[in-house]
Amino acid sequence: MSDQAVLFERKTAGIAVVTLNRPNVHNAFNDVMIAQLTKCFDEIAKDKKIRVMLLQSKGKSFSAGADLKWMRAAVHHSAKKNEEDAKKLAGLFHRLDTMPMPTVVRVQGPAFAGGLGLVACCDVALGAKGVKFAVTEVKLGLIPAVISPYLAQAIGASAARQFFQTAEVFGANKAKQIGLLHEVVDITYLDSMVNEVVSSILGNAQGSNRACKKLIYEIGSQVSEEFRADTARQIASIRSTVEAQEGIGAFFERRHPQWVEGKQ
């Protein structure tokens, strides 16, 4: 299983643990990880014996978002292939957001770009002190298209306006203040906090938990299939632009992009 991008373990008492397993690239997701995660979430969603799902990552980072090497290669794909890939990514976040059982996410390290989308799609987000976050897309000439509905709902329109535009890095305490994280603890106590929350959920009626998930989704701003398709078209379109290729190229060449004046 060590060569898998995603690890899946069923534990006793109806607990499913999903682990992002690309620590050497900060758990950035490419087409392989997206497919494996989606398949894993689909399998868990169908299993009525699973009462709670825990999402976590191996290594120092939670997730850097989309793998830029994968995105850079996408410029050579056809427009149709680009859009199909983007739809799969949008589908991943929708699947996580609509899981029928409670979901808990353990954030032990930095979560950037799409990594924030994974956090925002979970019901309970627990993070370690010192963890950093950023919606970095505009630094690369991109937009946070497919994660935007989930992240904006989690942190509110006002915070989304700020962090979508500035791409500034913010810490765990700020993340809790704006609603991205629910609890922040020292890394040495993170697992204890996770166990406490999971145990609390397991002490409740399973049917009620699932009904609450459905209720919360129904009273919130549901993300329609049409809207998901539109966000996929937007990211597929913008990542093939000259500006996006300049931003991604500058990242790999360890230089400032051309739009940053005086820092070439």
Side-chain angles (χ1 to χ4, degrees):
M1 290 287 287
S2 61
D3 61 340
Q4 294 293 303
V6 177
L7 306 180
F8 172 33
E9 179 183 5
R10 284 186 178 87
K11 294 194 173 184
T12 56
I15 304 170
V17 181
V18 178
T19 307
L20 307 185
N21 189 40
R22 300 186 76 210
N24 56 316
V25 290
H26 303 283
N27 294 306
F29 34 85
N30 57 7
D31 54 342
V32 174
M33 178 177 271
I34 291 168
Q36 290 184 13
L37 267 179
T38 303
K39 181 180 179 180
C40 185
F41 291 156
D42 281 340
E43 183 177 341
I44 292 171
K46 295 174 183 176
D47 192 339
K48 295 184 178 180
K49 294 181 180 179
I50 295 177
R51 300 188 58 192
V52 60
M53 187 190 82
L54 172 64
L55 178 62
Q56 61 182 15
S57 296
K58 283 189 175 292
K60 295 181 179 180
S61 298
F62 176 73
S63 176
D67 189 325
L68 291 182
K69 288 185 178 179
W70 169 62
M71 292 193 74
R72 192 182 198 183
V75 72
H76 301 297
H77 298 162
S78 66
K80 182 178 180 180
K81 178 65 166 62
N82 254 315
E83 192 170 321
E84 287 175 352
D85 285 347
K87 283 183 178 179
K88 290 177 182 177
L89 182 58
L92 167 63
F93 291 114
H94 179 68
R95 173 70 280 178
L96 178 57
D97 184 59
T98 57
M99 294 294 284
M101 72 286 295
T103 54
V104 179
V105 60
R106 176 187 183 274
V107 186
Q108 89 293 358
F112 289 173
L116 274 77
L118 296 176
V119 177
C121 286
C122 290
D123 298 314
V124 184
L126 310 173
K129 291 180 180 178
V131 168
K132 301 296 184 183
F133 301 88
V135 189
T136 55
E137 281 84 349
V138 293
K139 282 188 174 295
L140 301 169
L142 302 169
I143 56 174
V146 296
I147 67 170
S148 60
Y150 313 105
L151 191 52
Q153 185 174 14
I155 69 177
S158 179
R161 284 172 180 261
Q162 176 183 357
F163 294 113
F164 281 22
Q165 298 287 4
T166 66
E168 64 191 274
V169 176
F170 58 96
N173 289 335
K174 183 66 175 181
K176 183 180 180 183
Q177 179 186 336
I178 62 178
L180 183 63
L181 291 180
H182 296 101
E183 298 293 342
V184 177
V185 297
D186 188 273
I187 186 66
T188 56
Y189 299 108
L190 185 57
D191 287 332
S192 295
M193 176 60 72
V194 169
N195 292 335
E196 182 180 329
V197 170
V198 169
S199 295
S200 179
I201 292 172
L202 293 176
N204 302 325
Q206 181 182 7
S208 294
N209 276 136
R210 287 179 172 246
C212 282
K213 282 295 298 272
K214 185 173 182 291
L215 177 64
I216 292 167
Y217 183 70
E218 288 176 345
I219 64 177
S221 55
Q222 299 183 29
V223 183
S224 68
E225 183 176 353
E226 182 181 357
F227 186 78
R228 294 198 305 276
D230 183 60
T231 60
R233 284 191 291 269
Q234 288 187 54
I235 189 59
S237 175
I238 201 167
R239 71 184 180 190
S240 61
T241 63
V242 172
E243 189 175 65
Q245 290 306 302
E246 164 62 15
I248 295 172
F251 174 84
F252 284 111
E253 295 164 16
R254 298 182 181 277
R255 60 175 175 81
H256 292 284
Q258 293 179 359
W259 58 75
V260 181
E261 297 181 6
K263 293 186 177 181
Q264 299 303 313

